Structures are given as structure tokens and as C-alpha cells.
Amino acid sequence: MTRDPSIAIDDALVAQVNLLGDALRARGWRLATAESCTGGLLAGTCTAPAGASDWFAAGFVAYANDAKSGLLGVPDALIRAHGAVSSEVADAMARGALAHAGVQLALSVTGIAGPGGGSAAKPVGTVWLGLAWLHARETQEGLPAGGDAPLVRSRTECLVLDGDRASIRAQTVAIALQRLADAARVS
């Protein structure tokens, strides 16, 4: 077995993680990740700098479909209907991580890193990110409705990345960190 070079955490990634951590701390938020094709690389990158426990709560590695269902509550029927690499499953994974970890922000990754496993409809390099976060319910007057009951919001994004397995996984982690930092600042 050869070592995967995408596991190396360079200064640029550490800088991204530090920006993410600062944004989450400023909001009083904590993060969870749910990963399939990255196999925990995103969580490992987030926890590389000291002090990440202030804002990083949990990382779920749900590589197999039954793990997506068992760990994150993704319905088997959803996986059968859309495939594990889909907007629907990425969304369900992110929402599951949010709920199971009790955090304010979660990001999921599901994709085909290769070298095999791709198809014409979903080629190698197809990666779906799912982002879920808590948002205060608001009335038309801008005041909280129903007390402080949170509303879960989410969105998904499809990436089509080039390169070998290590490159696809590394690109996914870098893009995921940027999406998380953006969400922590804006949501």
C-alpha cells in the first residue's frame, strides 16, 4: 500500500482552517463533518491545528451506504433512488451530521475519487458537497418566532474535479474548507 500524499497538511490549508476556526468562534458555532470519498481527510485537516476542539465537534466517516444510513440517518430508499453520489444524499448526510452532533454547521462530502467507479452520468471526479446550518426562525418583523426554535437550512453543490484520486480528494478538502468559512461568516 502506498501513502496518500493528499494527507499532507500544508501551510495554506492550516491558514484556511485557522480562518474557519476564527469565524466559527466569533459566532459561537461548532462544526461536524460527514465524509465518504474523502474518508476523514476533512476532519483530519480541521483538527490539525491546536485549539480546534473549541469549534470542531465531530467527524463521521460514512464510506459505505449502510454507514450513511446507520450513522447519519440517510434513508436507504433515498440512496437507492438517487445513488450515494447525489445532491439528495449529500443533503441528507449534512442534515444527519448536524442533528447527530448537535452542532450549528455541518458539511458532507460524497463522490467518486477514482480511479474506478465512475460512469457516463457520474464520472470520476464528481463530488457533491452538502452544507447544513441552523438559522433562527424569523417573523416578517424580524423577530424570533416561536421562541428560539432553530430552522435548518441547507444547500448542495456539485463539483467536477480533474486529476488522480489523491488530487480529487485534496481539491475537495480545500474547496470544502472555503465553503465552510464562507458559511460561517454569512449564514
Side-chain angles (χ1 to χ4, degrees), residues 23-125:
L24 290 168
R25 278 187 205 95
R27 294 194 77 164
W29 279 13
R30 296 184 75 213
L31 168 68
T33 60
E35 301 178 67
S36 185
C37 68
T38 49
L41 290 176
L42 179 57
T45 303
C46 286
T47 58
S53 61
D54 292 347
W55 53 269
F56 189 87
F60 299 90
V61 177
Y63 205 73
N65 290 344
D66 58 341
K68 290 173 181 66
S69 299
L71 293 173
L72 300 167
V74 177
D76 290 327
L78 193 70
I79 296 170
R80 283 193 305 275
H82 301 284
V85 180
S86 64
S87 174
E88 294 81 3
V89 170
D91 185 68
M93 288 173 65
R95 287 172 175 269
L98 190 79
H100 286 83
V103 296
Q104 296 80 21
L105 180 63
L107 185 131
S108 67
V109 177
T110 184
I112 306 163
S119 68
K122 297 177 186 178
V124 169

Side-chain angles (χ1 to χ4, degrees), residues 93-168:
M93 288 173 65
R95 287 172 175 269
L98 190 79
H100 286 83
V103 296
Q104 296 80 21
L105 180 63
L107 185 131
S108 67
V109 177
T110 184
I112 306 163
S119 68
K122 297 177 186 178
V124 169
T126 302
V127 177
W128 279 95
L129 302 179
L131 193 65
W133 66 96
L134 295 184
H135 190 274
R137 294 181 190 267
E138 296 179 350
T139 64
Q140 290 181 350
E141 296 81 30
L143 302 172
D148 293 327
L151 171 69
V152 175
R153 294 203 175 163
S154 66
R155 67 175 178 252
T156 60
E157 176 181 1
C158 184
L159 309 174
V160 181
L161 305 171
D162 290 323
D164 62 10
R165 181 177 183 81
S167 174
I168 289 167

